[in-house]
Amino acid sequence: MRRLFVCLLFLLIQFFDTYAQTFSTTKPWTYWWWMGSAVNKADITAQLEYFGKSGLGGVHIIPIYGVKGYEKENISFLSPQWLEVMRHTIREGKRIGLGVDMTTGTGWPFGGPNVTSVTAAQNMTVVDGKPVVKPTGQKVKRPAPGGDGFVLDPFNATGMSQYLSRFDSAFSKSPDKPRSMYNDSYEAYGANWTTDFVKEFQSRRKYDLLGKLSMLSDSTGNPEATLVKIDYHQTLAELLLERYAVPWSDWSRTHGFKTRYQAHGSPGNLLDLYETADIPETESFGTSRFSIPGLRIDPDYSIDQFGTPNVLAMKFASSAANLSGKKLVSSETGTWLANHFKVSLSQIKPQIDELFTAGINHIFYHGTTYSPEKEGFPGWLFYASTNFGKTSHFSEYFSLLNNYVEACQKLLQDGKPDNDVLVYFPIHDLWATKAKSGGGVHLLEVHHVDRWLLDLPFGKLSGKLWREGYAFDFVSDLQLKKLNVGANGVLSSGDANYKTLLIPSVTYLPEETLKELQRLANAGAKIIFDGKLPTTVTGNASHEQRQQLFSESLAQISKLKTVRVSTDLNADLYQYGVVKEQLAEKGLTFIRKKAASGLPLYFVTNLGNTFQSGWVRIGKGETMSRNTPLKGESMMFIRTAAGHDEVYLNLPPGESCFLEGAKDGSDLPFASKTSKELEIKGTWEVTFLQGKPSLPAPAKLTTLKSWTTLSDSAEYFSGKARYRIIFDLKGPLKRFEDAGINLGDVREVAQVTLNGKDLGTVWHIPFQLYAGHALKSKGNVLEIEVTNLSANYMRLRDQQQPDWKKFYDINIVDITYKKFDATRWQPMPSGLLGPVRLIY
């Protein structure tokens, strides 16, 4: 029997290894919403083929609410018919080279028809010192047919196993299975209790919670009440980990699935929760406020309502992956980057670059919607942008973005983590504060990190480290137990090494954590306390006696020679060999890794406006070569300054590159020169080539401006126009042999031809291409084909044919979550706005 089991296990592993070889994780993947699961095999194949040709690596199926008029086509979730179209998707994915993931449910969060009143989420309030427990009443958000029902109690002892039982039978006999199961962000609002919570609290915290319940709402600063709040949150966090995250992950792996997990939004320790997954996943929601010149931000996006993406929140997922040796770290990408029909490729790239610097290397676009081929434009759309699908205005050029992402992710996935500092995440200090979320519990969400991260000393310290160019990961109390100490005090998790452990300015610390710090310090680990030592042990039970022992142990550890209470953090980090990267000082953002060769590897992006080009010291003075995605490798000029090698880096705002360790730099002498510009002026002939609703009349311009100003019809036009001009050079041709052409402001993508030679397509800032090889002294013919957004056409479409908005549930809303109405929009600038210049 044992031999048979081993053989079956071997065959199962071989099957999934073979499946993994049919798709790429270096290519970006996409969320793929199945509205009502009203799908058919022909349209599934057609859309998968589009995804494959566009350069995607896989899809993530999320069944959601349906479409009016298609009720008869709806397929109930996990029904035999649903499983057959799912199997068809997987088979076609293998043929095309696309992987398939799926949510373990419909909509979000986990819940559905098999969640009973016993296993549904519960809320507890304290009334007259006693617990009043009621169901939260929350149902699954955006459910698909067959998926409606109450949200699962994430703290219930048997809830997860009962919830997963319907999936056992669904996938038990099928050889065609998705790569990964997916668990969306927490969003179990108000859930703060479970049936046996009092019993579990007593067992874990060693006292009866019922006699202390009134302290949960205490706002006087009573020290005992604070300890009770911490104990309450600690119990919730442990139950969430043990009864929700771990059972789901274990079930998935037992059934041959990997797991992707968005742990954020929950009341647990994100680092521990993310670590349970094979692929921890963060989320980039909204738009960052980069100071890249020319980068647009949707004025309707509300920071107060939604917040902005935050790299520190993203690093919780990558830190968990680094510490536990997970190769892939994913992110929901591009959610509400701008309003529907208004997102450009040039807005997407810097958001992805930010994710890369946070340690993300497996991009999932948010997203694409299954839409029948017969529906045409705009087709079926999910209520939240961005549309990366076949009807998107940038679909013709989608592969350019995907090729860029693939080139970056290949290097990032092959690299190993190379961070110097481990920063302890003091979640107990957070639990000691008043919760700003519903249900009286702290929800560690990615949208409003100001509610739990930025105001803590931990958040302020991490922000300082990020801004000043230190490479670091976060570590939890539980993860400290996995660390060992090697030669020269190097901390090792077995998968990543660190030079020092940094403890922020904290008040509360568990005694188990202090014991781990003692163990590591006694083994020679370098530990820095920022500013002060902790003062108070957590846990209300027998607190006075335990506090005395805690203080004595703390005094002992502070006397060890590798332990410092720092009053000058930069100096102490330097003494412990931690590198402060000059890239950050120059205004550049980066991540440092180790390449497969063992040499340093940096991804560097310019998300600001303080750097154009200059000399930069990399690491402690490394010699580097440059690898610009899709353009290739080049040697770099080097010089020695103040005893360190520096490289000359040209990286204008919006641009990015890799820097890789090299044995030698360029042996050509560096010649400093000031770039000159020649603006291309004259008469531009504008011809509209294709688009909707109809082609405007040709025009001639002596000054470049938005084509929406040309005629009444042009302000509604969405499509492509050609700009043509003939110009002469001023000066000898040799002067321009290395010239580039900068198009200035492009709305939104431009294909450039000079004297019949294709210079390429520009889709992101800076809109610049090499042109020297195609120039001639006189009679240069420059043709630029520009494609704009679809927003202007939708202004007309919503007046004439608003019937495309026919979806159940939330239907379609704008970025403020109000009823979508494009008729109120002003025309968006479109075309070539310039100025167009030769840079030589």
Side-chain angles (χ1 to χ4, degrees):
M1 186 68 184
R2 177 179 173 83
R3 183 176 297 174
L4 176 62
F5 173 77
V6 171
C7 290
L8 289 173
L9 182 62
F10 176 75
L11 290 173
L12 185 65
I13 292 171
Q14 275 198 321
F15 167 77
F16 282 104
D17 282 348
T18 301
Y19 179 32
Q21 293 169 8
T22 66
F23 59 82
S24 168
T25 60
T26 58
K27 295 180 179 180
W29 290 37
T30 184
Y31 287 66
W32 195 22
W33 296 289
W34 282 9
M35 304 194 87
S37 294
V39 300
N40 63 68
K41 292 182 178 180
D43 285 337
I44 286 174
T45 294
Q47 288 172 53
L48 289 175
E49 288 178 342
Y50 164 75
F51 294 150
K53 291 176 182 177
S54 298
L56 292 179
V59 297
H60 166 197
I61 295 172
I62 309 176
I64 56 167
Y65 52 86
V67 183
K68 295 174 183 177
Y70 280 81
E71 292 83 357
K72 292 182 180 180
E73 282 81 6
N74 288 348
I75 305 174
S76 183
F77 182 60
L78 296 185
S79 66
Q81 186 182 358
W82 193 94
L83 292 171
E84 175 52 31
V85 292
M86 178 67 172
R87 286 191 288 266
H88 172 79
T89 303
I90 296 171
R91 291 192 296 266
E92 286 293 86
K94 292 177 185 177
R95 179 180 66 83
I96 297 167
L98 296 167
V100 179
D101 290 356
M102 69 168 282
T103 300
T104 320
T106 79
W108 65 91
F110 283 177
N114 66 332
V115 174
T116 66
S117 59
V118 175
T119 58
Q122 299 182 27
N123 174 262
M124 185 275 294
T125 56
V126 181
V127 179
D128 297 328
K130 296 181 180 179
V132 176
V133 181
K134 298 179 180 178
T136 66
Q138 182 185 354
K139 290 193 170 184
V140 176
K141 294 176 67 175
R142 325 298 182 212
D148 193 17
F150 288 111
V151 167
L152 178 67
D153 175 1
F155 313 112
N156 190 281
T158 60
M160 181 59 79
S161 61
Q162 291 181 34
Y163 173 73
L164 293 171
S165 61
R166 68 189 303 220
F167 295 90
D168 284 324
S169 57
F171 290 101
S172 61
K173 298 179 181 179
S174 174
D176 298 311
K177 297 183 179 181
R179 174 194 71 156
S180 292
M181 284 288 168
Y182 174 76
N183 192 339
D184 210 332
S185 56
Y186 182 75
E187 298 188 42
Y189 299 119
N192 63 3
W193 198 256
T194 195
T195 305
D196 61 347
F197 189 86
V198 172
K199 176 184 175 183
E200 286 297 322
F201 188 96
Q202 173 78 52
S203 174
R204 296 162 188 265
R205 309 282 85 87
K206 308 306 180 186
Y207 66 97
D208 183 9
L209 176 62
L210 293 179
K212 309 285 186 181
L213 271 180
S214 60
M215 292 186 176
L216 293 180
S217 56
D218 180 87
S219 58
T220 66
N222 178 349
E224 184 182 9
T226 300
L227 292 171
V228 172
K229 292 177 187 176
I230 294 174
D231 285 343
Y232 168 72
H233 277 89
Q234 179 78 48
T235 305
L236 283 176
E238 290 173 0
L239 294 178
L240 181 65
L241 178 66
E242 297 166 14
R243 295 179 169 184
Y244 186 81
V246 170
W248 171 73
S249 296
D250 288 347
W251 174 90
S252 298
R253 294 186 186 111
T254 299
H255 288 73
F257 307 117
K258 292 185 181 296
T259 54
R260 280 176 42 231
Y261 183 18
Q262 287 194 357
H264 48 268
S266 77
N269 194 316
L270 300 188
L271 294 165
D272 300 329
L273 295 168
Y274 278 133
E275 189 177 315
T276 64
D278 297 299
I279 308 172
E281 178 161 305
T282 187
E283 177 179 342
S284 179
F285 184 105
T287 176
S288 301
R289 293 319 196 239
F290 303 125
S291 56
I292 300 171
L295 180 65
R296 298 192 312 280
I297 296 171
D298 193 320
D300 293 331
Y301 182 82
S302 172
I303 295 179
D304 292 338
Q305 185 176 4
F306 301 116
T308 60
N310 185 278
V311 73
L312 299 181
M314 299 167 187
K315 283 181 69 66
F316 277 81
S318 60
S319 295
N322 291 343
L323 281 162
S324 56
K326 310 289 172 57
K327 179 179 180 179
L328 300 177
V329 192
S330 57
S331 176
E332 174 186 322
T333 305
T335 309
W336 280 130
L337 185 51
N339 222 327
H340 296 285
F341 310 105
K342 289 188 175 183
V343 179
S344 67
L345 293 175
S346 64
Q347 291 171 295
I348 297 169
K349 179 185 178 292
Q351 297 293 158
I352 291 177
D353 286 347
E354 180 181 58
L355 285 165
F356 288 158
T357 64
I360 310 308
N361 60 17
H362 192 16
I363 294 295
F364 275 78
Y365 297 130
H366 186 281
T368 59
T369 310
Y370 171 96
S371 185
E373 295 293 300
K374 66 181 181 181
E375 280 287 315
F377 181 87
W380 295 358
L381 293 180
F382 188 58
Y383 77 92
S385 74
T386 298
N387 176 22
F388 290 85
K390 199 172 184 178
T391 61
S392 170
H393 44 245
F394 54 66
S395 61
E396 180 182 355
Y397 305 104
F398 190 27
S399 62
L400 300 178
L401 172 66
N402 296 332
N403 292 342
Y404 169 78
V405 173
E406 180 184 12
C408 292
Q409 291 192 156
K410 186 178 189 310
L411 289 171
L412 292 170
Q413 290 178 18
D414 286 345
K416 301 292 184 183
D418 187 26
N419 296 319
D420 291 333
V421 182
L422 263 181
V423 184
Y424 168 67
F425 175 45
I427 196 168
H428 301 84
D429 270 27
L430 172 65
W431 290 337
T433 64
K434 182 179 179 180
K436 299 178 183 179
S437 307
V441 297
H442 289 278
L443 301 179
L444 281 61
E445 56 175 310
V446 297
H447 302 164
H448 290 285
V449 293
D450 55 303
R451 294 177 180 173
W452 63 274
L453 172 58
L454 299 185
D455 289 340
L456 287 177
F458 163 80
K460 294 177 180 178
L461 172 63
S462 300
K464 165 187 164 68
L465 295 174
W466 179 258
R467 290 187 301 272
E468 295 186 1
Y470 292 104
F472 60 94
D473 279 329
F474 302 139
V475 64
S476 72
D477 299 272
L478 286 177
Q479 289 168 336
L480 286 173
K481 297 180 179 181
K482 303 175 183 178
L483 297 176
N484 291 304
V485 183
N488 300 317
V490 171
L491 288 153
S492 175
S493 67
D495 297 289
N497 297 325
Y498 304 88
K499 295 178 180 177
T500 190
L501 173 61
L502 178 57
I503 312 297
S505 175
V506 300
T507 299
Y508 298 93
L509 194 76
E511 55 202 327
E512 295 85 358
T513 300
L514 182 58
K515 289 178 182 177
E516 291 304 317
L517 296 180
Q518 282 183 306
R519 175 182 68 84
L520 295 171
N522 287 332
K526 303 178 181 71
I527 301 176
I528 299 175
F529 289 87
D530 184 32
K532 72 181 188 70
L533 294 170
T535 60
T536 308
V537 68
T538 60
N540 189 49
S542 306
H543 186 264
E544 185 175 342
Q545 303 94 307
R546 292 171 43 252
Q547 178 64 41
Q548 182 176 350
L549 294 173
F550 177 84
S551 299
E552 292 171 358
S553 298
L554 198 59
Q556 293 175 4
I557 191 175
S558 66
K559 295 176 182 177
L560 295 174
K561 65 178 182 179
T562 60
V563 176
R564 299 187 181 189
V565 180
S566 179
T567 57
D568 187 343
L569 183 59
N570 286 348
D572 288 329
L573 289 172
Y574 177 80
Q575 287 295 318
Y576 281 164
V578 174
V579 176
K580 184 180 180 181
E581 294 286 355
Q582 198 181 72
L583 288 163
E585 180 185 319
K586 300 289 186 179
L588 301 172
T589 310
F590 72 95
I591 184 172
R592 188 183 72 214
K593 309 196 80 169
K594 281 195 180 296
S597 64
L599 293 171
L601 173 70
Y602 293 74
F603 173 77
V604 186
T605 182
N606 190 348
L607 299 175
N609 190 28
T610 60
F611 184 86
Q612 288 281 341
S613 61
W615 293 99
V616 185
R617 184 178 72 249
I618 306 298
K620 294 183 178 179
E622 310 287 347
T623 300
M624 313 297 290
S625 66
R626 174 173 177 153
N627 184 339
T628 303
L630 307 181
K631 294 181 182 178
E633 296 186 35
S634 59
M635 300 181 74
M636 304 183 73
F637 291 108
I638 61 172
R639 75 174 186 184
T640 301
H644 298 282
D645 283 350
E646 295 179 337
V647 298
Y648 191 82
L649 180 63
N650 180 23
L651 200 71
E655 194 57 270
S656 53
C657 71
F658 284 89
L659 301 179
E660 303 180 36
K663 295 180 179 179
D664 300 297
S666 173
D667 56 2
L668 296 174
F670 176 76
S672 177
K673 70 173 185 177
T674 302
S675 295
K676 297 180 181 180
E677 299 180 356
L678 172 64
E679 184 174 352
I680 298 174
K681 297 181 179 180
T683 300
W684 293 87
E685 299 175 359
V686 184
T687 305
F688 293 89
L689 304 176
Q690 62 186 56
K692 47 187 175 287
S694 59
L695 299 183
K700 292 185 178 182
L701 301 174
T702 55
T703 301
L704 290 171
K705 58 183 179 180
S706 172
W707 72 47
T708 58
T709 64
L710 298 181
S711 67
D712 290 342
S713 63
E715 75 170 52
Y716 294 113
F717 180 73
S718 174
K720 182 180 296 186
R722 179 192 298 119
Y723 291 73
R724 185 178 188 273
I725 193 172
I726 300 175
F727 68 95
D728 298 333
L729 297 181
K730 295 181 180 180
L733 181 60
K734 184 174 178 57
R735 181 184 299 171
F736 296 89
E737 61 184 1
D738 294 323
I741 186 167
N742 187 301
L743 304 186
D745 191 358
V746 176
R747 304 298 181 96
E748 300 296 329
V749 180
Q751 297 171 267
V752 184
T753 303
L754 179 59
N755 296 324
K757 294 182 179 179
D758 181 10
L759 299 189
T761 301
V762 285
W763 54 274
H764 67 83
I765 299 170
F767 296 105
Q768 187 164 314
L769 292 164
Y770 172 60
H773 66 295
L775 286 166
K776 56 186 182 180
S777 296
K778 293 187 179 297
N780 291 283
V781 179
L782 177 63
E783 294 179 308
I784 304 172
E785 294 185 1
V786 182
T787 302
N788 72 334
L789 304 174
S790 52
N792 290 343
Y793 169 68
M794 289 307 298
R795 296 170 55 243
L796 180 64
R797 174 66 184 266
D798 252 12
Q799 293 178 41
Q800 298 178 341
Q801 294 176 291
D803 55 345
W804 67 274
K805 296 176 284 189
K806 55 185 179 182
F807 315 113
Y808 281 101
D809 198 279
I810 196 172
N811 198 349
I812 191 86
V813 295
D814 65 16
I815 202 168
T816 65
Y817 278 71
K818 296 177 181 177
K819 183 179 179 181
F820 184 86
D821 182 8
T823 64
R824 298 176 296 179
W825 291 349
Q826 294 298 310
M828 291 198 69
S830 299
L832 182 62
L833 277 59
V836 179
R837 297 161 295 160
L838 289 176
I839 312 295
Y840 62 98

